[in-house]
C-alpha cells in the first residue's frame, strides 16, 4: 500500500495550521518521552487520538490497516482480546490485560499522523533529545547512589531504548555531509549502555545492532569481516566496564544461590521463569491458559515443580505475571495460534525492511529496529513492557512512513544507484528487454545497470551502451552454483526489474534488491507469493493478449516514473562488428538474407518452401545469404539450401557470425526473410526491411519490433500481410490463426498447418514488392 502524504489533508475542510502544529507538538512529546517517561507517552497518545478523531474521514481514507505490518498487528490484538474475553469473561482484570497490548491499536494511527515529513523529522529529533537526557541522567547516577537506586528498576527499558537510539543516530550519519557529529553522539549513547546501565538486554541488543550497522556501512567485500569485527571491538571495550563485568559474572553463576538470604540471582530467576513457562507450554501449547490467567497458571506450575521445597514457594518470582519472554508469553497465553500471529507480525516487519531500497535514507534502520525487538523478546515480554512496546511501535510507524513517502524512498522519486534487470528467458526475450533498459538509463543516467540471464542468452546485449555488466548463470546451476549466485546478488541493488514471470526469476529479484517490480502470469498458482514480493505488479497479457511484449516490459517502470505514458522505445541491437574478411569480400550490395532455421519445429516454415523461395530469388539475379547458428538443427536446415547454387551467388554464412556481426550483415542487406525467431527480431531492430513468417504466434504480442515507424506501432491479430515500419508480418488465412498454441498438437515438436498454408509465392510477391520500393 502506498500512502499519499497529503491525503490526510484532502478530505473535507483542509486542516488548520493550529491542527498541524498540535500534531507536531504531540509527536514531539511522544518522541521525547518514549525512552524515559511513560506518563509523557500516555499524554501524547491521548492527544494524538483526539487530533486523529478530528480528521477521522481522512484517516479512514488512508486505511493504514492495509499496510501488512499494521494489519497483522491489529489481527494479533484482536486475537488477544477475543481469547482473553472467551476464557476469562468481561472483568476488570481482562480489560487491564487487553489494555497492556494497546500499542498495537495505536500503531496504524501513528502511521497516518507521520505522513508529513516535517512531523517525522520533529519526532526523531525529539526522540534523540530524550535519549541524550536519559544518558546524562544515567551518567549522573554514578555519582548519586539514590538516583542510581531509582534508575535500577528501569535498567532494562533504558538499555534497550538507548541501544536502539544509538543505532538510529549512527545509521542517519550515512550519506550526511558531515557524519562525525552523529557518529560521536551514537558513541556517547552506546557507551552509556555499556558503562552506565546494568542491563543485560541493552548489552545484547547493542552488540547485535553494532554488527548490523557495521554490515550496512561496509562495502560488499568487507561486510562479513565488519559484521564480526564491530561487535568484537565493543566486547573488548566492555571488558573494562564494571556494569558488563557484573552482568557476566552473574550470568556465569547461573542458578547458584548467594547472599545472606540465599537468594537466586536475576539470571537464576530468569532460568526458573523459563522452566516454569516450558512446563506450561508443554501442557497448554494448543489453546493457551489465557493472557489474564498467566499468573495463576505460573503459580500452579511452581507449586507442582517445587512441592518438596517450601522455602522456594515464598520467593517473589513464584507469582510472576509473565515469563520475561514474549515468544513464550504468546504461546502459553494464547496457544500456538497467538505465537504464529506474533511471529508473522515480526516477519512482515522484516519483509517490509527488505523492500526498502539500499540507497534510501532509511535503508537498514527498519531491519535493525525489528532485530532489536526480536532479540529483546527473548529476554523480556516486550509487548507487555510499556516503554519497549511503545518505543518499538513508534519507530516502526516512523520508518514505514519514511518507506512509503514518495518524496523520499520510492525509487521513482530519488536517485537509484544500482539496477538489476532479470531476463532469464530465451535470446529473443532478452533482446526485447532493451527498450526497458533504455528507459532505465534515461531515468537514472548515473545508475549502474546490470542484466542477469542464462549463459548463452545475453549475446544480444554485448556492446549495448546502456548496460554496464552482464551477470550470466547456468540454467541449471546446481546447489553450489545457486549459493554462489545468491551470495553475489544479495542486496547489491536498489531496484530489480523482473521481466520473466517464472518462479526462479522472482526469487532472484527478492535476493537482489529491496525494491522489486515484476511481471507475473495471468493465472498461476504461485502468483500469490510473487505479489507479496513485488512493489509493482505487471500481469502478463498472455499469448492471445493485445499488448506487445516490448511494451509490457516497459510498463515495469510505469509506477516509478512517467515512462509508462511515453512512446515505446525502439529495440536496441548489439553494437555492429566487422564481418570476417572472406565474407566481406564475397558479399554483394543489397543482398537478400534468408534465415531458414527456427528453434522449435512448430515455428518452422517448411524447408521445401524455403527452397522454392531461394530458387526464385536466385533466378531474379539476387545474391542470397544464408544465416544460422553452428548448432546441429540449424546446420541440418541450411544443408538442404546451400547446394542450390555456388558462392558467391548463394553465400552460406551460417555458424560463422556472432550477433554483433549479424548486425553489420543486416545493415547492408536489401531484405531479410525469416520465421518467428530471435534473429528475425534482431534484423528488425537494425532497420533492414523484414519479412517475418508467422504461424500460431500472435503478432500483437510477438511481432518483430520495428526500428522505425511513421505511425504508432500496432499490429493486428490476424491479417494475410501487415506492414508496420520496416517489418512485414505474413500469416495464413486459416480461421484458427493465431491460436497461441505450440502448433496443431500443442507441443514444441508439433507441425503447424498455418505455416504450411503460407506459400512460397506469397512470400516472393512481398519480397519483390519490398525490393522494388527500396530501389
Amino acid at each position: 500500500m502506498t500512502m499519499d502524504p497529503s491525503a490526510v489533508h484532502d478530505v473535507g475542510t483542509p486542516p488548520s495550521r493550529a491542527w498541524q502544529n498540535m500534531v507536531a507538538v504531540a509527536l514531539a512529546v511522544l518522541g521525547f518521552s518514549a525512552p524515559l517517561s511513560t506518563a509523557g507517552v500516555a499524554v501524547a497518545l491521548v492527544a494524538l487520538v483526539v487530533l486523529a478523531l478530528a480528521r477521522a474521514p481522512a484517516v479512514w481514507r488512508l486505511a493504514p490497516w492495509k499496510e501488512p505490518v499494521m494489519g497483522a498487528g491489529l489481527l494479533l490484538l484482536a486475537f488477544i482480546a477475543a481469547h482473553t474475553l472467551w476464557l476469562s469473561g468481561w472483568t476488570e482484570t481482562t480489560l487491564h490485560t487487553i489494555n497492556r497490548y494497546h500499542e498495537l491499536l495505536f500503531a496504524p494511527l501513528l502511521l497516518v499522523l507521520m505522513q508529513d515529513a516535517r512531523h517525522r523529522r520533529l519526532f526523531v529529533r525529539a526522540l534523540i533529545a530524550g535519549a541524550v537526557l536519559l544518558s546524562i541522567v544515567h551518567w549522573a547516577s554514578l555519582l548519586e547512589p539514590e538516583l542510581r537506586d531509582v534508575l535500577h528498576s528501569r535498567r532494562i527499558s533504558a538499555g534497550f531504548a538507548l541501544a536502539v537510539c544509538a543505532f538510529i543516530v549512527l545509521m542517519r550519519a550515512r550519506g550526511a555531509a558531515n557524519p562525525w557529529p552523529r557518529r560521536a553522539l551514537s558513541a556517547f549513547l552506546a557507551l552509556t549502555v555499556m558503562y552506565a546501565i546494568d542491563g543485560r538486554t541493552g548489552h545484547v541488543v547493542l552488540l547485535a545492532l553494532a554488527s548490523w550497522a557495521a554490515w550496512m556501512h561496509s562495502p560488499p567485500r568487507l561486510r562479513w569481516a565488519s559484521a564480526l569485527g564491530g561487535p568484537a571491538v565493543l566486547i573488548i571495550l566492555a571488558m573494562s566496564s564494571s556494569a558488563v563485568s557484573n552482568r557476566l559474572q552473574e550470568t556465569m553463576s547461573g542458578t547458584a544461590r548467594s547472599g545472606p538470604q540465599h537468594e537466586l540471582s536475576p539470571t537464576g530467576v530468569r532460568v526458573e521463569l523459563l522452566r516454569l513457562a516450558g512446563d506450561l507450554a508443554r501442557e497448554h501449547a494448543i489453546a493457551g491458559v489465557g493472557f489474564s490467567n498467566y499468573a495463576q497458571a505460573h503459580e500452579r506450575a511452581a507449586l507442582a515443580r517445587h512441592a518438596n521445597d517450601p522455602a522456594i514457594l515464598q520467593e517473589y518470582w513464584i507469582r510472576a505475571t509473565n515469563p520475561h519472554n514474549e515468544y513464550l508469553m504468546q504461546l502459553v497465553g494464547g496457544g500456538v495460534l497467538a505465537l504464529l500471529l506474533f511471529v508473522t507480525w515480526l516477519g512482515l516487519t522484516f519483509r517490509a525492511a527488505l523492500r526498502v531500497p539500499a540507497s534510501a535514507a532509511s535503508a537498514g534502520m527498519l531491519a535493525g529496529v525489528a532485530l532489536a525487538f526480536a532479540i529483546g523478546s527473548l529476554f523480556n515480554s516486550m509487548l507487555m513492557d510499556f516503554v519497549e512496546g511503545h518505543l518499538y511501535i513508534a519507530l516502526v510507524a516512523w520508518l514505514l512512513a519514511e518507506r512509503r513517502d514518495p518524496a523520499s524512498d520510492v525509487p521513482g522519486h530519488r536517485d537509484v544507484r544500482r539496477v538489476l534487470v532479470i531476463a532469464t528467458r530465451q535470446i529473443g526475450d532478452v533482446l526485447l528487454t532493451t527498450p526497458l533498459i533504455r528507459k532505465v538509463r534515461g531515468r537514472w543516467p548515473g545508475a549502474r545497470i546490470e542484466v542477469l540471464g542464462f549463459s548463452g542468452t545475453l549475446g544480444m546485449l554485448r556492446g549495448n551502451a546502456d548496460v554496464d555488466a552482464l551477470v550470466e548463470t547456468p540454467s541449471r546451476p546446481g546447489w553450489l552454483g545457486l549459493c554462489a549466485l545468491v551470495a553475489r546478488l544479495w542486496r547489491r541493488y536498489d531496484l530489480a526489474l523482473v521481466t520473466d514471470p517464472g518462479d526462479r526469476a522472482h526469487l532472484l529479484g527478492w535476493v537482489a534488491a529491496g525494491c522489486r517490480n515484476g511481471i507475473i502470469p495471468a493465472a498461476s498458482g504461485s502468483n500469490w507469493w510473487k505479489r507479496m514480493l513485488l512493489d509493482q505488479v505487471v500481469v502478463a497479457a498472455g499469448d492471445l493478449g493485445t499488448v506487445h511484449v516490448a511494451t509490457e516490459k516497459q510498463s515495469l517502470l510505469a509506477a516509478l516514473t512517467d515512462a509508462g505514458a511515453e512512446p515505446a522505445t525502439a529495440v536496441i541491437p548489439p553494437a555492429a562488428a566487422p564481418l570476417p574478411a572472406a565474407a566481406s569480400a564475397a558479399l554483394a550490395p543489397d543482398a537478400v538474407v534468408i534465415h531458414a532455421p527456427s528453434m522449435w519445429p512448430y515455428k518452422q516454415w517448411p524447408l521445401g518452401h524455403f527452397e522454392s523461395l531461394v530458387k526464385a530469388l536466385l533466378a531474379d539475379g539476387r545474391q542470397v545469404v544464408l544465416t544460422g547458428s553452428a548448432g546441429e538443427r540449424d546446420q541440418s536446415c541450411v544443408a538442404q539450401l546451400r547446394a542450390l547454387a555456388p558462392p558467391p551467388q548463394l553465400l552460406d554464412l551460417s555458424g560463422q557470425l556472432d550477433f554483433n556481426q549479424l548486425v553489420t550483415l543486416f545493415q547492408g542487406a536489401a531484405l531479410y526473410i525469416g520465421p518467428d525467431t530471435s534473429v528475425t527480431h534482431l534484423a528488425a531492430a537494425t532497420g533492414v526491411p523484414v519479412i517475418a513468417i508467422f504461424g500460431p504466434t500472435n503478432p500483437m504480442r510477438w511481432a518483430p519490433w520495428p526500428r522505425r515507424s511513421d505511425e504508432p506501432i500496432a499490429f493486428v491479430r490476424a491479417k494475410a500481410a501487415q506492414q508496420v515500419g520496416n517489418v512485414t508480418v505474413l500469416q495464413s488465412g486459416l480461421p484458427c490463426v493465431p491460436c497461441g498454441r505450440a502448433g496443431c498438437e500443442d507441443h514444441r515438436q508439433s507441425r503447424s498447418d498455418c505455416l504450411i498454408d503460407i506459400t512460397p509465392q506469397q512470400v516472393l510477391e512481398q519480397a519483390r514488392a519490398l525490393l522494388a520500393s527500396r530501389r
Side-chain angles (χ1 to χ4, degrees):
M1 180 192 72
T2 301
M3 292 185 178
D4 179 358
S6 63
V8 75
H9 304 159
D10 288 345
V11 178
T13 305
S16 65
R17 182 178 296 275
W19 184 89
Q20 297 183 31
N21 290 338
M22 285 188 287
V23 170
V25 170
L27 287 174
V29 172
L30 175 65
F32 185 81
S33 305
L36 49 82
S37 172
T38 57
V41 170
V43 170
L45 288 178
V46 171
L48 289 169
V49 169
V50 173
L51 291 167
L53 290 175
R55 301 287 302 165
V59 173
W60 182 262
R61 178 186 174 189
L62 278 172
W65 50 86
K66 291 184 179 180
E67 165 65 50
V69 177
M70 298 302 163
L74 291 174
L75 187 60
L76 174 61
L77 176 61
F79 178 84
I80 291 173
H83 189 275
T84 303
L85 293 172
W86 174 54
L87 286 183
S88 305
W90 189 281
T91 67
E92 183 177 349
T93 301
T94 57
L95 295 179
H96 174 72
T97 300
I98 296 169
N99 183 58
R100 298 189 71 173
Y101 295 95
H102 68 260
E103 60 264 33
L104 294 171
L105 183 62
F106 282 112
L109 179 66
L110 290 175
L111 178 61
V112 170
L113 295 177
M114 287 188 178
Q115 291 303 300
D116 192 316
R118 295 167 299 177
H119 293 167
R120 293 197 301 272
R121 285 194 295 270
L122 192 59
F123 165 78
V124 175
R125 290 169 182 171
L127 173 69
I128 302 306
V132 170
L133 177 60
L134 183 61
S135 295
I136 293 172
V137 171
H138 273 278
W139 285 109
S141 71
L142 299 179
L143 304 175
E144 181 55 55
E146 292 184 3
L147 180 59
R148 188 186 316 145
D149 293 339
V150 172
L151 295 176
H152 183 74
S153 61
R154 303 180 182 180
R155 67 190 186 280
I156 297 175
S157 60
F160 176 81
L162 291 182
V164 172
C165 288
F167 168 75
I168 288 172
V169 173
L170 181 60
M171 294 299 291
R172 283 169 63 83
R174 294 175 68 210
N178 183 11
W180 289 107
R182 292 181 180 180
R183 291 173 180 171
L185 178 57
S186 175
F188 171 70
L189 298 177
L191 290 173
T192 304
V193 176
M194 286 197 301
Y195 285 90
I197 298 178
D198 182 16
R200 174 176 32 230
T201 300
H203 299 155
V204 175
V205 168
L206 184 65
L207 283 176
L209 292 180
S211 179
W212 179 239
W215 176 281
M216 290 298 298
H217 279 76
S218 302
R221 66 181 184 280
L222 298 177
R223 279 178 173 168
W224 283 108
S226 300
L228 297 174
V233 172
L234 278 182
I235 291 173
I236 293 172
L237 289 174
M239 291 300 99
S240 61
S241 165
S242 59
V244 175
S245 298
N246 292 339
R247 267 302 163 194
L248 284 175
Q249 184 177 358
E250 174 209 294
T251 301
M252 296 301 293
S253 67
T255 58
R257 295 176 176 270
S258 60
Q261 303 297 325
H262 200 57
E263 296 176 339
L264 283 174
S265 67
T267 298
V269 171
R270 292 294 180 92
V271 172
E272 287 294 339
L273 292 178
L274 291 176
R275 286 173 176 170
L276 294 175
D279 293 342
L280 292 173
R282 283 187 289 272
E283 184 177 354
H284 302 284
I286 302 300
V289 299
F291 290 90
S292 63
N293 300 330
Y294 184 87
Q296 299 92 315
H298 175 88
E299 188 168 1
R300 288 195 301 270
L303 290 172
R305 177 177 277 273
H306 299 289
N308 298 325
D309 193 351
I312 290 182
L313 301 181
Q314 303 304 314
E315 298 193 20
Y316 71 93
W317 51 267
I318 295 297
R319 283 160 290 281
T321 58
N322 68 82
H324 285 260
N325 181 298
E326 189 63 50
Y327 304 99
L328 284 173
M329 184 67 220
Q330 295 296 323
L331 179 61
V332 176
V336 67
L337 183 54
L339 177 61
L340 180 61
L341 288 171
F342 176 72
V343 172
T344 300
W345 176 61
L346 273 181
L348 287 173
T349 310
F350 280 108
R351 172 179 173 266
L354 290 173
R355 295 164 75 100
V356 178
S359 63
S362 60
M365 276 196 267
L366 183 56
V369 170
L371 176 66
F373 190 82
I375 292 174
S377 294
L378 293 171
F379 303 98
N380 299 281
S381 299
M382 300 289 277
L383 274 179
M384 298 182 68
D385 294 336
F386 191 96
V387 172
E388 293 93 319
H390 285 80
L391 176 62
Y392 176 71
I393 287 298
L395 290 175
V396 169
W398 162 55
L399 291 168
L400 286 176
E402 284 282 325
R403 174 179 177 266
R404 293 297 185 181
D405 187 349
S408 58
D409 286 347
V410 176
H413 298 268
R414 60 173 175 79
D415 288 334
V416 168
R417 299 174 187 173
R418 302 178 70 96
V419 179
L420 181 68
V421 179
I422 300 177
T424 46
R425 301 200 79 182
Q426 301 301 328
I427 297 172
D429 300 275
V430 172
L431 181 64
L432 291 176
T433 64
T434 56
L436 170 65
I437 296 169
R438 172 57 58 88
K439 290 209 166 178
V440 173
R441 175 62 70 205
R443 178 58 183 85
W444 299 292
R448 179 176 177 82
I449 302 173
E450 300 182 13
V451 181
L452 170 66
F454 293 142
S455 301
T457 66
L458 298 182
M460 290 288 194
L461 300 178
R462 299 199 186 280
N464 189 310
D466 296 326
V467 178
D468 294 295
L470 301 175
V471 182
E472 292 191 283
T473 179
S475 58
R476 299 180 181 273
W479 281 109
L480 291 178
L482 183 59
C483 290
L485 179 62
V486 169
R488 178 179 181 181
L489 298 179
W490 181 257
R491 299 295 156 169
R492 292 189 62 198
Y493 305 91
D494 303 318
L495 174 64
L497 300 173
V498 185
T499 66
D500 177 4
D503 295 353
R504 176 166 37 169
H506 283 269
L507 291 173
L508 290 174
W510 175 83
V511 166
C515 182
R516 298 166 296 276
N517 295 352
I519 298 174
I520 64 173
S524 171
S526 61
N527 276 0
W528 65 272
W529 62 260
K530 291 176 186 174
R531 287 181 179 275
M532 292 180 65
L533 296 184
L534 296 173
D535 289 273
Q536 181 197 346
V537 174
V538 174
V539 179
D543 288 335
L544 295 179
T546 59
V547 179
H548 196 280
V549 171
T551 303
E552 185 174 85
K553 294 178 189 295
Q554 293 176 72
S555 63
L556 287 172
L557 288 183
L560 301 181
T561 68
D562 296 329
E566 298 173 0
T569 303
V571 172
I572 313 300
L579 295 171
S584 181
L587 195 62
D590 292 339
V592 175
V593 178
I594 290 184
H595 185 92
S598 181
M599 184 176 183
W600 305 112
Y602 80 92
K603 293 185 177 184
Q604 181 68 63
W605 196 46
L607 292 178
H609 288 12
F610 268 117
E611 184 175 346
S612 300
L613 176 63
V614 171
K615 287 179 178 178
L617 290 170
L618 292 172
D620 288 346
R622 288 284 174 179
Q623 183 188 44
V624 175
V625 180
L626 303 177
T627 59
S629 74
E632 181 179 352
R633 172 173 172 76
D634 280 28
Q635 287 300 305
S636 66
C637 291
V638 174
Q640 187 172 331
L641 304 177
R642 67 164 62 102
L644 295 177
Q649 187 181 8
L650 180 60
L651 187 61
D652 178 15
L653 297 182
S654 62
Q656 302 178 42
L657 307 180
D658 60 23
F659 291 126
N660 303 80
Q661 292 170 318
L662 281 174
V663 170
T664 303
L665 174 66
F666 296 151
Q667 288 174 342
L671 179 66
Y672 168 93
I673 303 173
D676 174 17
T677 188
S678 60
V679 178
T680 304
H681 287 283
L682 175 60
T686 68
V688 65
V690 167
I691 295 177
I693 306 171
F694 265 50
T697 308
N698 179 10
M700 298 183 77
R701 290 279 290 164
W702 292 104
W705 197 256
R707 177 67 173 178
R708 58 187 182 277
S709 176
D710 297 331
E711 299 177 358
I713 297 174
F715 292 89
V716 299
R717 186 181 303 276
K719 190 175 182 181
Q722 53 181 312
Q723 182 176 358
V724 179
N726 62 306
V727 174
T728 299
V729 174
L730 300 184
Q731 293 174 277
S732 165
L734 295 178
C736 57
V737 173
C739 64
R741 304 170 62 195
C744 297
E745 299 162 8
D746 202 16
H747 61 80
R748 289 174 171 175
Q749 305 302 317
S750 168
R751 76 185 194 286
S752 292
D753 291 343
C754 53
L755 282 170
I756 300 172
D757 188 60
I758 301 174
T759 66
Q761 188 60 35
Q762 290 175 269
V763 179
L764 181 62
E765 289 175 0
Q766 287 293 329
R768 286 171 173 167
L770 289 172
L771 290 169
S773 65
R774 182 177 177 86
R775 284 198 299 269

